[in-house]
Amino acid sequence: MPRKFEIGGGSCYQGITAMFIRLILEVCAILNIIALILLFKSKINAPKTLSVISLIIWSLISFFNFVDQTTEDFIIRIKYFTPFLIVNILIILIINQIKKTKSTLKVE
């Protein structure tokens, strides 16, 4: 959570928003963990689907939090949401790379 969010106080809405964002983050993390577990069990399509769902959910939450923000709030949100988006994208890229590797191994 951004430091300003924790110490700034504010309305009840701010706490509810933080709780909702944390819940979505946990759901996305669980989807990615399940995707990685399935990937190690040699399954390819299910992990990719779970990771894409996670990326879509987190992207939507990020987008809705970026709309109509002041410059300072926008920068704080970019710092907070971007690392999770990058991790989701990296997981999808890793799954695609492993899928390519497995498909070339099957051909040979």
Side-chain angles (χ1 to χ4, degrees):
M1 235 5 102
R3 184 81 176 134
K4 179 184 175 189
F5 216 52
E6 292 177 354
I7 64 173
S11 65
C12 181
Y13 174 73
Q14 202 173 26
I16 293 170
T17 303
M19 182 181 69
F20 180 72
I21 290 171
R22 194 170 279 152
L23 174 69
I24 296 297
L25 176 62
E26 290 172 357
V27 168
C28 290
I30 290 170
L31 287 173
N32 282 323
I33 289 170
I34 292 171
L36 291 174
I37 290 170
L38 291 175
L39 185 63
F40 288 121
K41 292 187 174 190
S42 298
K43 298 182 183 197
I44 295 296
N45 292 331
K48 186 174 179 181
T49 304
L50 291 174
S51 295
V52 169
I53 290 170
S54 175
L55 179 66
I56 291 169
I57 291 170
W58 195 248
S59 297
L60 288 173
I61 294 299
S62 301
F63 174 74
F64 289 127
N65 277 283
F66 291 155
V67 177
D68 294 330
Q69 299 296 325
T70 63
T71 305
E72 182 183 338
D73 290 340
F74 182 77
I75 291 170
I76 289 171
R77 284 178 170 79
I78 288 286
K79 288 179 183 178
Y80 181 67
F81 288 108
T82 304
F84 300 112
L85 287 172
I86 291 170
V87 168
N88 272 333
I89 291 168
L90 287 175
I91 289 174
I92 292 171
L93 292 175
I94 289 169
I95 290 170
N96 284 336
Q97 186 64 33
I98 291 173
K99 184 176 182 179
K100 287 179 188 176
T101 305
K102 286 187 178 188
S103 65
T104 57
L105 289 176
K106 287 181 181 178
V107 172
E108 296 174 359

